Amino acid sequence: MELRSSIESVKGIGEKTAKLFNKLHIYTVEDLIKAYPRDYLSYEEPRSLAKAPVGIRIALYLEIKTYVNTEKRGRYIITSLTAGDSVNTIKLVWFNSPFLRNVLKRGDRYVFVGTIKKKNNFLVMEMPEYYPKDKYKGMMTTMQPVYSLTSGLTNNSFQRAIRETGSLIRNITDPLPEKVRQEYKLMRLDEALFNMHFPQNEEVLKDAVRRLAFDEFAGFLLEVRKLREENSALSNTHPLSEAALIRADAFIASLPFSLTNAQKNAICDIKNDMSSDYVMNRLVQGDVGSGKTIIAVTALYMTALSGYQGVLMVPTEVLAQQHFKDIDGMLRGQGIRTALLTGSLSVKEKRVIYEKLKAGEIDILIGTHAVIQDKVEIKNLGLVVTDEQHRFGVRQREKLSEKGQDPHVLIMSATPIPRTLAIILYADLDISVIDELPASRKRVMNCVVDTSYRDTAYKFILKEIRAGHQAYIICPMVDSSEAVDAENVIDYSEELKAYYRDNARIEYLHGKMKDEEKNQILARFMNREIDILVSTTVIEVGINNQNATVMMIENAERFGLAQLHQLRGRVGRGSDSSYCIFINAKETEDSVKRLKVLENSNDGFYIANEDMKQRGPGDFFGIRQSGDMIFKVADIYNHADILRKAQDAVLKYGDELGLVQDNETVITTL
């Protein structure tokens, strides 16, 4: 068994199980080793039912008081029983687990682990883990990894597969020189990889995370340095014409709204760059709703007027369609020829676009990653614009630029990264910051509440739906199989349908769906055929529904503040008053303090700085900032200190570090 060997070379993984791992994009042994846990569970001393808090994951040592009952309800098989101590009882419920009838018997005692909810004044624990007392006692001294799973693949089988790679991990050669590891106090690579999966305690896990985060940051920064060296002396072969600059001013003056000073400054920066002797490489960093799109449109417009072609690449098909509709509407009357290229187009439709691009008959191309396919040839590419570029990765950015002869590059990002970190991460780029919002942008009204407010929130959402509006509800997890104490979109949407009955049209959305299915659901939501969209953070970017006025975020305490702000940016995009409700399921002093920052401010850059300041050294885990760059372990907010050390190491040691970047994910040379 080697790192590049098929996943089937791992003992215990046959063809059937391999296909389940393939669904998670795990094909090789190396893929398996780098499929790090998404969370870790610790097991505390069991509590008495009388003192058991609601809404927090706890352990209870109980006796089963009733026979196990199984019934079919909709698409679920519900298995339930009543357990308790000498005084109190609780109902335990499992979904699609009928085999438990042969496992759990009346009179048996188990430690049950899960989160208590109150339903109709009864205590309920859904999908609890269950252990004999002796086995649970042994688990209390360990941290258990929790992996992202797919139907048919259990957490235990994932753990077993990782353990089978243990001897291979121990023999991995560390690419970092010993002097570098000592200077930056870094764990050996083999130790870090093993302890990511099976940490003895939280301190060891932190050290493992620090090492892998360092590698990812350093590999990324080496790639950025290479880009800077390649681009710094490139001559401008696509200068803007004088006529384009004049017409751009007239275009801006004709808009039905006035630009902010920050927008005007960004456009001025772009004009100067594209008219200079060198190729532009610029980042426009602006808060959600700050008006970055019109800056991109102006740059593309000037490019087309100067006789070149421009490309706008965005992360989702729905966003590409929205941009195409808006940009085509603005520029068609100006004689600019636009086109949309996405993966869902037919072969015939794509062929027509390919031919027109090659012939120079399309001025502006708008699309998803489909625009970087090998078949795409662009006659005279003058400008590449990428929106939310951290979703693409450095390699994809390079690949798009290679479609032309040293085109200008403009990157748009709404991710609120503190400026001190942005200077490091975007070292190959000049930066324009849009730090003010258009006057027309309405402030979202916020409130942070506990779970007892949920019913009131549901009624408020219904009021907004009856007024003709729509809502989002965000959950951290996809389904209950993820074994994490948090709400999940699949079960949540079923409960919501039962609550609203015929009063609301409800659908769920998550990242594990096929692109075609996601696009269909988002399109129906945009067309007002769905009232409430229950979703994971997959909607963080890429949707602009001006009719959505409410967002409710469950388990808000599990997300970083910057990501919560990004999510909140999906509402308040129209002329109607909008609201964001943050449900804090664990009302600790820390979570209340953090979420109050969001309640009191809508300024993304302020929030990003507060996020970085407030997170302590223990905030390494949980839900990652999924929109932060392209890293598997590293997080620019949690690991800002490691980022700075990686920058220092790259400046001191450069290629001695032995780190490379592969495709979109920074990896270590193993």
Side-chain angles (χ1 to χ4, degrees):
M1 179 173 61
E2 298 177 353
L3 286 168
R4 301 294 180 182
S5 299
S6 164
I7 188 77
E8 288 185 57
S9 66
V10 177
K11 185 180 177 181
I13 298 181
E15 183 180 352
K16 184 179 178 182
T17 307
K19 287 180 179 177
L20 296 176
F21 278 104
N22 293 166
K23 287 183 178 179
L24 299 171
H25 306 290
I26 298 171
Y27 299 95
T28 67
V29 176
E30 184 176 355
D31 293 337
L32 177 65
I33 292 170
K34 291 180 179 174
Y36 304 125
R38 66 169 302 151
D39 212 334
Y40 300 85
L41 298 180
S42 55
Y43 294 85
E44 61 175 34
E45 191 75 36
R47 307 190 194 193
S48 69
L49 194 48
K51 295 181 179 179
V54 174
I56 297 176
R57 180 178 177 273
I58 58 166
L60 301 167
Y61 184 52
L62 304 172
E63 178 184 340
I64 298 175
K65 301 289 188 180
T66 62
Y67 293 108
V68 177
N69 178 58
T70 301
E71 61 178 304
K72 187 161 178 60
R73 199 180 302 164
R75 66 188 185 90
Y76 288 112
I77 297 174
I78 308 295
T79 302
S80 62
L81 58 83
T82 299
D85 50 30
S86 58
V87 180
N88 301 291
T89 60
I90 185 172
K91 186 176 182 180
L92 307 179
V93 179
W94 291 265
F95 303 104
N96 296 330
S97 305
F99 66 89
L100 291 176
R101 289 188 67 175
N102 302 319
V103 178
L104 304 175
K105 304 295 181 183
R106 184 180 179 186
D108 289 350
R109 290 177 175 270
Y110 288 93
V111 177
F112 296 96
V113 183
T115 303
I116 296 177
K117 299 179 180 180
K118 264 193 176 178
K119 293 191 174 182
N120 300 321
N121 290 322
F122 288 101
L123 296 181
V124 179
M125 186 182 279
E126 295 177 347
M127 296 297 290
E129 304 165 57
Y130 56 94
Y131 305 97
K133 191 174 185 180
D134 288 344
K135 182 177 180 181
Y136 185 80
K137 193 172 182 181
M139 293 175 64
M140 288 172 62
T141 60
T142 64
M143 293 182 71
Q144 297 295 314
V146 179
Y147 296 93
S148 293
L149 303 172
T150 188
S151 180
L153 186 65
T154 66
N155 205 59
N156 284 338
S157 61
F158 210 123
Q159 285 189 34
R160 281 197 301 272
I162 293 289
R163 287 192 187 280
E164 289 295 332
T165 69
S167 60
L168 183 62
I169 292 174
R170 293 297 185 195
N171 289 315
I172 284 173
T173 301
D174 197 326
L176 283 188
E178 176 67 25
K179 62 181 179 181
V180 175
R181 291 204 306 271
Q182 288 185 1
E183 182 173 346
Y184 297 100
K185 297 180 174 59
L186 298 171
M187 181 181 274
R188 282 204 327 265
L189 179 61
D190 62 322
E191 292 179 334
L193 290 169
F194 189 81
N195 283 303
M196 279 297 291
H197 295 284
F198 303 110
Q200 293 179 333
N201 52 55
E202 191 168 303
E203 204 56 45
V204 170
L205 178 57
K206 286 179 188 177
D207 287 341
V209 169
R210 286 180 64 83
R211 168 57 203 267
L212 296 179
F214 179 94
D215 284 9
E216 289 187 345
F217 281 140
F220 178 83
L221 293 174
L222 283 168
E223 193 66 32
V224 166
R225 186 181 71 169
K226 178 185 167 190
L227 271 178
R228 184 176 64 242
E229 290 169 353
E230 290 174 353
N231 294 335
S232 60
L234 290 177
S235 297
N236 181 2
T237 55
H238 302 92
L240 295 180
S241 68
E242 194 64 37
L245 293 169
I246 294 169
R247 285 186 63 182
D249 290 339
F251 169 69
I252 292 169
S254 71
L255 293 172
F257 52 85
S258 298
L259 298 187
T260 63
N261 287 330
Q263 287 174 310
K264 292 174 184 176
N265 290 338
I267 290 173
C268 185
D269 289 340
I270 291 166
K271 286 180 177 179
N272 290 336
D273 287 350
M274 294 180 72
S275 301
S276 74
D277 294 334
Y278 300 101
V279 169
M280 174 178 73
N281 281 283
R282 181 167 292 278
L283 168 74
V284 173
Q285 187 185 17
D287 205 350
V288 174
S290 61
K292 296 180 297 301
T293 301
I294 192 61
I295 293 169
V297 172
T298 304
L300 289 164
Y301 179 55
M302 291 188 295
T303 299
L305 291 175
S306 299
Y308 320 120
Q309 292 163 284
V311 174
L312 170 62
M313 185 167 74
V314 298
T316 68
E317 186 158 324
V318 169
L319 187 59
Q321 291 168 346
Q322 291 169 6
H323 277 322
F324 172 70
K325 181 181 176 183
D326 294 342
I327 294 172
D328 188 57
M330 276 192 278
L331 300 183
R332 182 180 292 179
Q334 305 280 340
I336 304 300
R337 300 163 296 181
T338 60
L340 174 69
L341 180 60
T342 64
S344 65
L345 294 181
S346 68
V347 174
K348 183 179 179 181
E349 289 171 322
K350 288 178 183 175
R351 190 183 301 120
V352 171
I353 291 175
Y354 296 156
E355 290 171 356
K356 287 186 175 182
L357 281 170
K358 192 173 181 180
E361 296 170 7
I362 291 172
D363 299 311
I364 298 173
L365 178 67
I366 299 146
T368 57
H369 61 276
V371 304
I372 61 173
Q373 301 303 309
D374 291 338
K375 292 180 181 179
V376 176
E377 295 181 48
I378 304 173
K379 183 179 180 181
N380 191 8
L381 181 61
L383 173 65
V384 170
V385 183
T386 56
D387 193 5
E388 294 299 341
Q389 69 91 26
H390 55 275
R391 306 237 159 197
F392 299 107
V394 176
R395 290 293 188 194
Q396 285 183 309
R397 194 168 104 204
E398 282 186 299
K399 192 169 182 181
L400 183 53
S401 294
E402 288 165 2
K403 296 291 180 185
Q405 182 62 45
D406 301 332
H408 298 290
V409 174
L410 180 63
I411 293 162
M412 321 293 288
S413 180
T415 304
I417 302 171
R419 186 166 178 82
T420 53
L421 300 187
I423 290 169
I424 299 172
L425 290 164
Y426 300 121
D428 62 317
L429 304 168
D430 295 311
I431 302 176
S432 296
V433 177
I434 308 180
D435 52 7
E436 56 183 314
L437 296 180
S440 59
R441 179 77 180 190
K442 282 205 168 186
R443 186 182 190 278
V444 176
M445 287 169 270
N446 311 293
C447 65
V448 177
V449 295
D450 60 30
T451 54
S452 66
Y453 187 85
R454 193 178 283 132
D455 189 61
T456 304
Y458 286 167
K459 289 173 182 173
F460 178 76
I461 289 171
L462 182 59
K463 180 182 174 184
E464 286 295 299
I465 289 170
R466 285 175 171 164
H469 299 138
Q470 294 162 279
Y472 301 93
I473 296 181
I474 307 301
C475 297
M477 302 298 161
V478 173
D479 59 43
S480 56
S481 71
E482 296 187 69
V484 174
D485 174 24
E487 299 292 347
N488 69 83
V489 295
I490 296 176
D491 293 342
Y492 197 105
S493 60
E494 290 293 325
E495 293 176 12
L496 213 57
K497 286 175 184 177
Y499 179 91
Y500 283 112
R501 299 185 184 277
D502 297 327
N503 293 313
R505 298 162 296 176
I506 300 162
E507 292 288 350
Y508 65 77
L509 183 74
H510 58 76
K512 292 183 181 180
M513 290 176 165
K514 293 181 179 178
D515 286 345
E516 184 179 353
E517 188 178 5
K518 283 190 283 191
N519 290 330
Q520 286 175 353
I521 290 171
L522 284 171
R524 287 173 54 212
F525 187 60
M526 293 297 298
N527 292 332
R528 305 189 183 187
E529 296 168 20
I530 296 170
D531 298 312
I532 302 174
L533 185 62
V534 182
S535 176
T536 59
T537 58
V538 71
I539 57 96
E540 182 182 353
V541 298
I543 183 167
N544 180 25
N545 187 342
Q546 297 186 13
N547 191 52
T549 58
V550 187
M551 173 173 284
M552 186 165 87
I553 303 176
E554 291 283 358
N555 297 105
E557 76 285 349
R558 295 186 63 87
F559 298 91
L561 297 185
Q563 186 172 29
L564 289 171
H565 177 65
Q566 284 278 89
L567 288 165
R568 173 171 61 185
R570 297 310 99 201
V571 296
R573 306 181 80 85
S575 58
D576 298 298
S577 296
S578 295
Y579 312 87
C580 191
I581 304 163
F582 302 96
I583 303 289
N584 184 7
K586 296 181 181 178
E587 284 202 285
T588 63
E589 183 179 344
D590 177 62
S591 68
V592 171
K593 179 184 176 184
R594 288 180 63 247
L595 292 174
K596 281 291 181 185
V597 173
L598 281 166
E599 188 172 49
N600 297 327
S601 176
N602 282 351
D603 182 338
F605 290 99
Y606 167 77
I607 290 165
N609 279 293
E610 286 299 303
D611 200 5
M612 196 168 65
K613 279 196 294 185
Q614 289 195 15
R615 294 193 190 205
D619 293 329
F620 270 59
F621 323 114
I623 301 291
R624 288 190 63 252
Q625 298 272 354
S626 63
D628 299 345
M629 307 301 291
I630 52 174
F631 310 118
K632 294 183 85 171
V633 175
D635 180 291
I636 59 173
Y637 300 93
N638 286 344
H639 308 142
D641 62 323
I642 305 172
L643 172 59
R644 294 186 182 99
K645 287 178 179 177
Q647 181 198 31
D648 183 68
V650 167
L651 292 173
K652 277 187 184 177
Y653 300 106
D655 295 334
E656 280 187 70
L657 298 178
L659 303 172
V660 297
Q661 185 177 7
D662 180 22
N663 297 324
E664 300 158 56
T665 306
V666 180
I667 69 164
T668 310
T669 305
L670 300 182

